[in-house]
Amino acid sequence: MKAMMLKGFGGLEQFALEDVPPPQPQAGEVLVRIRASGVCYHDVLARQGHFPRTRLPGIIGHEIAGEVAALGAGTQGFQAGERVVLVMKDHCGHCRLCLKGRDNICQQSGGLFGEEIPGGYAEYVSVRSHALVRIPDGVTYAEASVVPCALGTAYHGLLAIAQVQPGDSVLITGATGGVGIHAVQVARMLGARVIAVTTSAG
């Protein structure tokens, strides 16, 4: 498969388009043909070497959506051709945190896609089936790819942490960034009065 390999830390010159063996789905895994991969600012920081977990050479990218291409032995719950989006992090699915819906901070997993685990800057990725969510009809691959990270972060912060209620006033800094622009929309959907702040003229 084609993959944009990160060969070292630094600028864009550290990327190289290479032919690499495609992943083979193991028992309980799903092979996903990637149709959209978001470029998160986290990816920029990973490329620059700010996260020691980032493996080199490696395939970064954690905002991933695509279609089921194949199933590993014994994998159930999905069929070839189904449209899916990956959660940001591999997780065990059965620890206390996972069972509470906090799989993003599971400590029993392989890690974040695009750091410890090959990510989305490639044609295929193989993941455990519980790391996938079906994409609803009417939602594009590009739209779905940013839901777990940019939209999910905004949603979690506003609803689970801040517990925003209708009529609340919410100040959102960095409102033109990936998380910020989603936070503005989520806050409005929750019925809040939104004050958006940005240092960008755009």
Side-chain angles (χ1 to χ4, degrees):
M1 68 173 182
K2 299 288 187 185
M4 190 63 75
M5 299 296 297
L6 182 65
K7 311 294 283 188
F9 295 129
L12 294 175
E13 74 282 352
Q14 297 295 342
F15 283 122
L17 183 62
E18 297 184 356
D19 287 305
V20 299
Q24 300 299 314
Q26 304 301 305
E29 292 185 346
V30 175
L31 181 68
V32 177
R33 179 191 298 271
I34 298 171
R35 297 300 191 186
S37 182
V39 180
C40 178
Y41 192 66
H42 183 105
D43 298 344
V44 175
L45 295 175
R47 189 230 322 142
Q48 293 173 344
H50 294 285
F51 302 122
R53 298 182 304 265
T54 305
R55 292 187 177 169
L56 294 176
I59 305 170
I60 67 171
H62 60 271
E63 297 182 337
I64 308 167
E67 64 186 19
V68 175
L71 303 175
T75 304
Q76 298 179 345
F78 290 95
Q79 297 180 3
E82 285 190 292
R83 300 183 332 125
V84 292
V85 61
L86 279 65
V87 298
M88 291 171 50
K89 185 179 181 182
D90 180 40
H91 57 284
C92 73
H94 57 261
C95 71
R96 178 180 58 85
L97 291 169
C98 284
L99 294 176
K100 290 177 64 176
R102 302 300 306 279
D103 49 87
N104 60 310
I105 54 174
C106 172
Q107 300 301 307
Q108 311 298 321
S109 72
L112 186 76
F113 294 112
E115 288 189 357
E116 297 99 326
I117 305 170
Y121 290 16
E123 292 184 287
Y124 292 93
V125 66
S126 188
V127 301
R128 290 193 274 187
S129 60
H130 60 249
L132 297 174
V133 178
R134 288 180 180 84
I135 300 174
D137 292 341
V139 177
T140 68
Y141 288 118
E143 291 166 341
S145 69
V146 299
V147 169
C149 183
L151 180 55
T153 299
Y155 181 85
H156 179 74
L158 289 164
L159 196 62
I161 304 300
Q163 300 180 2
V164 171
Q165 300 293 317
D168 286 350
S169 293
V170 176
L171 172 66
I172 298 172
T173 60
T176 55
V179 174
I181 200 166
H182 287 90
V184 168
Q185 296 173 76
V186 171
R188 289 291 300 274
M189 291 174 65
L190 293 173
R193 171 177 175 261
V194 177
I195 303 165
V197 178
T198 181
T199 57
S200 170

